[in-house]
Amino acid sequence: MPGIFSRTPKSSEADAIFDPQGVIPGHVGIIMDGNGRWARARGLPRAAGHRAGTKNIRRVLTESVEIGIKVLTIYAFSTENWARPKDEVDHLMRLISQSIQEQLDDLDANGVRILHSGRLEEVNPSLQKEIRHAIDRTRHNDSIVLNVAFNYGGRAEIVDAIKEIMREGIPPEEVTEEVVSQHLYTPDLPDPDLIIRTGGEFRLSNFLIWQAAYAEFYSTPVYWPDFDEAELRKAVAVFQHRDRRFGKIEDTER
Ligand code: FPP
């Protein structure tokens, strides 16, 4: 009879080794935190941290394709980030616009499909246009989805879904979890399997709060600009060692 003593104790997550043949998280969400601290540690302005962070997206995206991740959602700008000093907000807006201009050809050539989650109507019209163009141009690509959460808030997303459901006149008794999911910003994406937060905090900060219900959460003290290929593999290795039960119990405990 299997009992508590017959179970192999879990090895420490720090020892987890990435298995390329093991289960790969289909959708990974990343809270790219620590750009400011990365810069401060080097005596550089915060803007330099955001620039380094932007560069790092490409490195992690390439490694994600290599590993077999199908969707990467990155938290680029939250609905709360407008409260940062105007200089920093302007810099982040410029970085996003510049990244689209400089990277779009290459992302497209590499089969990256770009999506956006968030309230696009609240951003500068020329940036809106650039983002819509990037989405449209890459819509048939299928090597990986890069979903950019930009002017994104999880609560705002749920509020927007409720508004849409009401506008469509769906009666309350027909509102199910499935209906809510279908009215989120990216209804066709699967829920995230793994949420990575760099920079050492242990919170979701309004990121994918509906979709993350059963996601595995991984936090690392590494600042986002330093989160390289090996760090991504480490996060996936830890995911591979987790026991996902989705609210159920293990077979051995029945
Ligand atoms: C958190 O670091 C990071 C952000 C608020 C923005 C993340 C944005 C980028 C990496 C670049 C723009 C995105 C694209 C898609 C080109 P922080 O400033 O909170 O760092 P700190 O906690 O160390 O101060």
Side-chain angles (χ1 to χ4, degrees):
M1 188 182 79
I4 51 168
F5 299 111
S6 64
R7 294 185 59 192
T8 321
K10 259 193 212 164
S11 57
S12 146
E13 294 200 332
D15 303 330
I17 291 171
F18 172 69
D19 174 6
Q21 308 318 324
V23 56
I24 302 295
H27 182 176
V28 176
I30 307 188
I31 302 172
M32 308 180 289
D33 200 8
N35 293 341
R37 282 166 287 165
W38 180 92
R40 197 180 333 128
R42 287 162 179 73
L44 298 169
R46 290 178 62 80
H50 291 313
R51 268 198 304 278
T54 302
K55 229 173 128 193
N56 196 43
I57 295 170
R58 195 55 209 266
R59 172 162 69 168
V60 169
L61 180 70
T62 304
E63 185 64 4
S64 298
V65 174
E66 187 70 28
I67 289 177
I69 292 165
K70 289 289 166 205
V71 183
L72 201 60
T73 295
I74 53 170
Y75 206 4
F77 192 88
S78 77
T79 45
E80 291 71 38
N81 286 154
W82 294 105
R84 292 193 175 204
K86 187 175 179 301
D87 272 9
E88 184 166 344
V89 169
D90 290 348
H91 180 72
L92 284 167
M93 296 293 152
R94 267 200 309 278
L95 271 180
I96 290 169
S97 166
Q98 254 175 32
S99 303
I100 297 173
Q101 288 167 23
E102 290 169 14
Q103 302 267 337
L104 187 58
D105 284 349
D106 195 39
L107 292 173
D108 189 28
N110 282 288
V112 179
R113 180 176 174 205
I114 296 171
L115 289 180
H116 168 255
S117 281
R119 288 182 173 164
L120 206 49
E121 64 282 4
E122 290 173 359
V123 307
N124 170 312
S126 72
L127 182 53
Q128 278 188 39
K129 214 170 138 195
E130 287 171 334
I131 294 173
R132 287 188 215 281
H133 169 68
I135 295 169
D136 189 53
R137 179 159 160 206
T138 61
R139 69 189 185 284
H140 298 305
N141 292 346
D142 63 2
S143 70
I144 192 167
V145 171
L146 177 64
N147 180 33
V148 184
F150 170 71
N151 194 27
Y152 174 85
R155 289 185 174 183
E157 180 174 33
I158 295 169
V159 168
D160 289 349
I162 294 170
K163 284 185 182 164
E164 194 49 38
I165 289 168
M166 294 182 80
R167 251 183 238 121
E168 290 175 17
I170 299 177
E173 55 282 7
E174 284 177 27
V175 177
T176 59
E177 291 183 10
E178 184 56 27
V179 168
V180 175
S181 293
Q182 284 306 311
H183 287 82
L184 298 175
Y185 296 136
T186 46
D188 299 331
L189 295 187
D191 284 345
D193 301 291
L194 171 64
I195 305 266
I196 297 172
R197 181 167 188 144
T198 60
E201 311 289 354
F202 285 79
R203 53 177 173 265
L204 280 176
S205 301
N206 208 10
F207 183 53
L208 304 180
I209 52 175
W210 174 277
Q211 299 91 327
Y214 287 102
E216 294 296 325
F217 187 73
Y218 174 85
S219 175
T220 170
V222 173
Y223 297 146
W224 171 247
D226 289 331
F227 187 87
D228 61 7
E229 294 90 343
E231 293 295 339
L232 179 66
R233 282 172 186 254
K234 206 191 284 178
V236 172
V238 168
F239 171 84
Q240 291 177 328
H241 281 71
R242 295 269 176 92
D243 180 16
R244 300 186 83 194
R245 289 195 292 274
F246 300 95
K248 302 184 182 107
I249 55 169
E250 285 181 54
D251 284 347
T252 52
E253 291 172 6
R254 273 176 220 264

